[in-house]
Amino acid sequence: MATGRKRKPTALRVLEGNPSRRPLPTDEPKPVPRAPKRPGWLNKEARWLWNYLAPRLERVGLISEIDLPTFAILCQQFGVFAAAEKHLKKTGTRTAEYTNKAGATNVVEVAEAKIARNAAITFKSLASEFGLSPASRARLCGSPASRQEDELDELLKRAGL
């Protein structure tokens, strides 16, 4: 079992300008950057995120059809988080009190708060796989928005992606 930092996708390294200056892998699988078809079982918020992110990730070469399961889970976790947070906003409570058999009062997190927290943790871990976290974006080469698409296309072509 490998230890240490997990390998960063080559497409992300290219977008970041390959800061380590290590040679880019030549034997890495290079699926065609094409967003997979959205599954029908995603909830409303997950479908919105899919429609928002998939074309953008496709443009910069960070998603392909083989990413369907991971990307679907990422989007669905966003949907689960949103639904749990809507419920919490409606009820106005994140904790509940109960008295145990010994008569002591305990304060616990309600189920929806736990669901929202767990969904956010899962989302965050999967978001880094697609370069979607704030830290991942900060490492990307900055360029004016009007030129960014052309520059990214050129970098990806030079890298053979």
Side-chain angles (χ1 to χ4, degrees):
M1 184 171 140
T3 59
R5 221 178 255 188
K6 53 185 177 173
R7 285 179 51 172
K8 186 178 293 188
T10 301
L12 273 180
R13 287 181 56 196
V14 169
L15 291 173
E16 292 171 353
N18 193 17
S20 67
R21 303 292 181 228
R22 291 186 182 137
L24 295 173
T26 57
D27 60 346
E28 183 178 85
K30 295 177 183 142
V32 175
R34 181 175 32 241
K37 184 179 176 198
R38 187 186 76 207
W41 50 263
L42 295 176
N43 69 21
K44 179 182 174 184
E45 289 82 5
R47 288 191 309 268
W48 175 85
L49 186 66
W50 185 290
N51 293 338
Y52 178 78
L53 286 178
R56 288 164 172 83
L57 290 171
E58 183 178 37
R59 247 182 273 134
V60 295
L62 293 176
I63 193 168
S64 69
E65 290 180 346
I66 63 173
D67 296 319
L68 173 78
T70 306
F71 192 63
I73 293 168
L74 168 107
C75 292
Q76 188 67 6
Q77 287 302 298
F78 174 80
V80 168
F81 173 81
E85 286 295 328
K86 282 180 184 177
H87 178 81
L88 291 169
K89 184 177 180 180
K90 188 168 74 172
T91 62
T93 183
R94 297 184 83 83
T95 59
E97 288 185 10
Y98 75 93
T99 305
N100 64 18
K101 291 179 183 178
T105 301
N106 295 308
V107 177
V108 295
E109 211 175 17
V110 297
E112 289 79 6
K114 291 178 184 179
I115 290 168
R117 181 173 25 85
N118 290 338
I121 290 167
T122 303
F123 177 85
K124 183 180 175 194
S125 70
L126 292 173
S128 68
E129 299 291 327
F130 293 96
L132 298 175
S133 69
S136 296
R137 284 194 309 274
R139 291 189 301 265
L140 295 176
C141 293
S143 63
S146 60
R147 295 186 339 222
Q148 186 173 5
E149 201 172 299
D150 294 337
E151 289 175 3
L152 294 176
D153 287 344
E154 183 59 35
L155 283 171
L156 291 170
K157 283 179 190 173
R158 279 191 275 161
L161 299 175

